[in-house]
Amino acid sequence: MKKIAIILSGCGVFDGAEIHESVLTMLHLEQLGASYQCFAPNIQQHHVINHLTGEELQQQRNVLEESARIARGNIKELSQLNSNDFDALVLPGGFGVAKNLSNFAFEGAKSQILDQLKHVCQAFAQQQKPIAYLCIAPALIGHIHPHGTLASIGNDEQTAAVINQLGAQHVECDVENIVLDSIHKVISTPAYMLAESISEASVGIHKALKALVEMA
């Protein structure tokens, strides 16, 4: 059975991991006959958003504790993730990727990513183990993989241009498809960058994870 690590970035599309994408990731991996373990960094969120009103709340939340909501408590600190123990890696999207795992949401082409995350992802890459990036997570690819690695967040020209500036090579992709860099073993799919329903997001995510498991 293939063992897959999942890195979450909180709980909720506007300040953490996209919940539908995260749950679909777990569901499809299980249906594909793989096992998974969730991880998240033990850090404070950048901020907390009221998902009903869109307003920022004056409170603090912890990324690991919030991610545990999605993982039903079965989650470990990112610092415990050892690439030797897994066959592949998945990063669901959500603004937590661009606010907590990196500062892409604020700095764009000048963004940096969490050192711990970079170390873990590069360890998988160096061992030639595949990584799937969903939704906005492909914005991290230029920080982790060699210059020119293929990536897609769909078809948003402005975001695509920034991804290119960061060193990846953006490829347009519709919601139900994937972009596969077979040389660097990197898979991306737009998911909720384009999806207008959970079933639309599900199609591309399933294809990405099927490719991930087959490549692992």
Side-chain angles (χ1 to χ4, degrees), residues 106-195:
F106 316 108
E107 299 295 334
K110 296 179 180 176
S111 60
Q112 299 294 320
I113 71 171
L114 202 64
D115 284 341
Q116 197 177 60
L117 177 76
K118 187 172 186 174
H119 175 76
V120 164
C121 292
Q122 286 186 336
F124 274 86
Q126 285 161 7
Q127 293 176 343
Q128 296 189 307
K129 293 179 176 179
I131 308 179
Y133 298 85
L134 315 181
C135 192
I136 192 60
L140 306 178
I141 288 172
H143 289 288
I144 293 161
H145 300 276
H147 191 89
T149 299
L150 302 182
S152 186
I153 47 78
N155 58 20
D156 184 82
E157 290 182 14
Q158 192 174 355
T159 309
V162 176
I163 285 174
N164 287 337
Q165 284 178 273
L166 285 166
Q169 182 182 333
H170 188 269
V171 180
E172 279 202 15
C173 181
D174 64 48
V175 67
E176 295 187 342
N177 281 306
I178 65 174
V179 168
L180 173 62
D181 188 317
S182 54
I183 295 171
H184 299 116
K185 295 192 173 182
V186 170
I187 303 154
S188 47
T189 190
Y192 274 105
M193 291 297 288
L194 292 177

Side-chain angles (χ1 to χ4, degrees), residues 2-9 21 25-26 29 32 34-41 76-93 97 101 113-134 137-138 140-141 144-145 179-180 184-189 205 207-216:
K2 303 287 175 64
K3 296 172 66 178
I4 316 296
I6 303 171
I7 298 177
L8 301 177
S9 58
E21 292 174 1
T25 294
M26 298 175 202
L29 285 174
L32 288 162
S35 66
Y36 63 82
Q37 173 65 52
C38 294
F39 295 86
K76 297 179 179 179
E77 286 193 31
L78 182 58
S79 59
Q80 294 180 272
L81 175 47
N82 186 333
S83 59
N84 294 324
D85 298 334
F86 294 90
D87 300 300
L89 177 64
V90 189
L91 284 84
V97 171
L101 302 186
I113 71 171
L114 202 64
D115 284 341
Q116 197 177 60
L117 177 76
K118 187 172 186 174
H119 175 76
V120 164
C121 292
Q122 286 186 336
F124 274 86
Q126 285 161 7
Q127 293 176 343
Q128 296 189 307
K129 293 179 176 179
I131 308 179
Y133 298 85
L134 315 181
L140 306 178
I141 288 172
I144 293 161
H145 300 276
V179 168
L180 173 62
H184 299 116
K185 295 192 173 182
V186 170
I187 303 154
S188 47
T189 190
I205 291 172
K207 283 182 182 175
L209 298 177
K210 187 170 186 288
L212 183 83
V213 171
E214 288 173 353
M215 204 182 281

Side-chain angles (χ1 to χ4, degrees), residues 44-63:
Q44 294 302 112
Q45 285 185 190
H46 171 75
H47 61 189
V48 179
I49 298 293
N50 179 330
H51 280 58
L52 190 62
T53 65
E55 295 173 2
E56 185 173 343
L57 301 175
Q58 296 305 308
Q59 57 178 260
Q60 285 194 320
R61 295 190 187 181
N62 178 280
V63 173

